[in-house]
Amino acid sequence: MYTTNLFESFSPGIFIGRDEELNKLEKLLIHDKEKVVTISGNNATGKTALWMEFLKRHKANYDERVQVLRTSSPFRNLPEIDKKISLVVIEDISFDFNLEIEKRLIELIKRNFDKQFLLVGAHADKLKMSSVNNIHLQYFAENSSDELLNKLLKSKISPKEIQKIANLTKGNPYLLGLFSSLLNEKNIVSIKFTN
């Protein structure tokens, strides 16, 4: 799938707690001009949000020169990469990642030696190529979870309740967002936790 208006689809969302990873991605792709970089981590750790934030911040470098492929769609015949494309993002390298998909990815990368590739998914770090740089995302630490909740919640909830939510979600960015959306939707300003 080639997306010419990729940047128009970005929501202004909150990007928080991944500055170190974003800096590493910028260094690898822009400064070091690495050919292949992977972003890996468990589901809902912010892998897609990281690369989308990277592209949003570097729109001038990549506007209309990004192609996004998803391995969740039929991956039998890899598409040709347009000549004007400079970065290919391959999203959803996940639990069904196998040797056949890996061979096709390596073939695509070798065929497009003049392009950069960003491989994203739970098992993107499993790609067996030399000189692949990986950024592995973990769940948020407690202080980042608290900070994210404070930014996401429309109404103020006590720090004690914020900490309980952060503990309950175990730093999972998706669950933190889901929890805050529910609280915002219902205009909840206090939560009673029972043991």
Side-chain angles (χ1 to χ4, degrees):
M1 162 180 63
Y2 176 67
T3 312
T4 54
N5 62 348
L6 183 65
F7 296 97
E8 292 172 18
S9 67
F10 288 143
S11 64
I14 296 171
F15 182 79
I16 191 167
R18 296 285 185 218
D19 293 325
E20 183 179 322
E21 292 88 348
L22 182 61
N23 290 337
K24 184 175 180 181
L25 187 58
E26 289 170 342
K27 179 185 180 307
L28 291 169
L29 289 177
I30 294 175
H31 303 293
D32 298 348
K33 302 204 182 305
E34 292 290 339
K35 183 170 177 57
V36 180
V37 176
T38 63
I39 301 173
S40 64
N42 288 332
N43 289 336
T45 52
K47 298 177 297 291
T48 300
L50 177 63
W51 70 259
M52 291 182 95
E53 182 67 21
F54 168 80
L55 289 177
K56 188 169 112 182
R57 291 187 185 188
H58 298 283
K59 182 179 177 177
N61 294 358
Y62 294 105
D63 194 22
E64 295 193 24
R65 296 184 315 133
V66 176
Q67 184 167 353
V68 179
L69 305 173
R70 301 196 188 286
T71 60
S72 57
S73 58
F75 213 64
R76 288 184 189 94
N77 299 317
L78 293 172
E80 289 300 315
I81 307 298
D82 192 291
K83 289 181 179 167
K84 71 179 182 177
I85 298 298
S86 61
L87 177 66
V88 179
V89 179
I90 302 178
E91 175 77 20
D92 294 335
I93 299 174
S94 165
F95 297 107
D96 56 354
F97 184 72
N98 59 41
L99 288 175
E100 185 61 31
I101 291 174
E102 181 179 23
K103 285 180 192 175
R104 290 182 184 155
L105 285 175
I106 291 171
E107 175 188 312
L108 180 70
I109 291 167
K110 285 181 179 177
R111 210 172 53 230
N112 293 280
F113 59 88
D114 59 331
K115 316 263 184 252
Q116 288 181 298
F117 287 83
L118 183 56
L119 309 176
V120 183
H123 295 288
D125 58 335
K126 303 296 185 226
L127 188 66
K128 293 176 179 53
M129 287 183 68
S130 60
S131 70
V132 173
N133 294 281
N134 182 52
I135 299 169
H136 185 76
L137 301 184
Q138 302 285 344
Y139 290 123
F140 284 137
E142 186 178 317
N143 60 340
S144 294
S145 295
D146 293 356
E147 187 180 348
L148 178 62
L149 282 166
N150 279 318
K151 289 201 178 204
L152 290 174
L153 291 171
K154 290 179 183 172
S155 57
K156 288 293 174 199
I157 292 180
S158 76
K160 186 176 179 179
E161 289 173 326
I162 293 262
Q163 190 168 22
K164 286 182 179 181
I165 296 169
N167 290 339
L168 180 69
T169 60
K170 296 185 180 0
N172 182 313
Y174 177 76
L175 292 177
L176 290 165
L178 193 64
F179 219 106
S180 60
S181 292
L182 177 66
L183 294 174
N184 288 336
E185 181 181 311
K186 304 288 183 188
N187 292 320
I188 296 173
V189 294
S190 181
I191 303 168
K192 182 176 181 179
F193 286 90
T194 58
N195 292 336

